[in-house]
Amino acid sequence: MTRDQKINFLVVPITIAIVGIVTLILALCKQDWKYYLIGGMLGLMCHGLMVKQNARMLRMTRLDPTHTTYNPKKSTILWYLLRFALVLVVFVVLGFLAKDKPRKDFVISMIIALAGYLTLKVIFLIMLLCIREKVVKE
């Protein structure tokens, strides 16, 4: 198992556990727990798309090393735009769901959703720092 596979296999269950715990805490405190849960699941979905993109790029570069039919730069831009559009659409929908709330509650709801989304990003960065490849000196 490679370093990237270890990180991707560990990030998802750790994120699900943390999102579940924080969601329960927010529900017990009578806060907008749904927004945090949606943000966390959005982060997991975007991470899955990123893993899928990476696997596809590795497969395509093995099949077409000279890039005659496959353009990795174009593919990267398209996958990034797909993830960005997904995040944008979900946050716009969350904004419409929270639009009837007072301005302060609206902002808090959107910050809670953003915190749920960023939970995976923070865990992913921590895992990247913790699981390092060993350098062999010659």
Side-chain angles (χ1 to χ4, degrees):
M1 185 178 292
T2 65
R3 173 182 175 252
D4 294 337
Q5 289 173 337
K6 282 182 192 176
I7 292 171
N8 289 328
F9 285 136
L10 289 174
V11 165
V12 174
I14 291 171
T15 302
I16 290 173
I18 290 175
V19 167
I21 291 168
V22 173
T23 301
L24 285 174
I25 291 171
L26 287 173
L28 293 175
C29 294
K30 296 183 176 41
Q31 295 294 323
D32 290 330
W33 61 273
K34 295 174 196 168
Y35 290 92
Y36 187 83
L37 184 64
I38 291 171
M41 294 304 119
L42 175 65
L44 285 169
M45 190 170 19
C46 287
H47 182 73
L49 286 172
M50 184 185 71
V51 170
K52 178 73 175 166
Q53 170 200 358
N54 188 21
R56 184 175 187 275
M57 284 184 65
L58 288 174
R59 187 178 69 244
M60 293 304 285
T61 53
R62 262 189 255 123
L63 292 174
D64 185 17
T66 60
H67 306 298
T68 55
T69 58
Y70 176 71
N71 187 352
K73 185 175 181 180
K74 181 180 174 184
S75 178
T76 302
I77 291 170
L78 289 174
W79 278 94
Y80 179 77
L81 288 175
L82 173 68
R83 291 193 314 263
F84 181 74
L86 181 68
V87 170
L88 187 68
V89 166
V90 169
F91 273 96
V92 166
V93 169
L94 287 176
F96 278 124
L97 291 175
K99 71 178 179 181
D100 295 334
K101 294 182 178 185
R103 184 155 179 90
K104 181 181 176 186
D105 291 340
F106 172 79
V107 171
I108 290 173
S109 297
M110 296 311 287
I111 289 173
I112 288 174
L114 184 64
Y117 175 71
L118 292 177
T119 300
L120 179 113
K121 303 293 183 189
V122 170
I123 293 171
F124 185 66
L125 288 175
I126 290 171
M127 295 300 292
L128 282 174
L129 293 174
C130 290
I131 300 176
R132 295 183 183 168
E133 292 180 351
K134 295 180 181 176
V135 178
V136 179
K137 293 183 180 180
E138 296 179 17

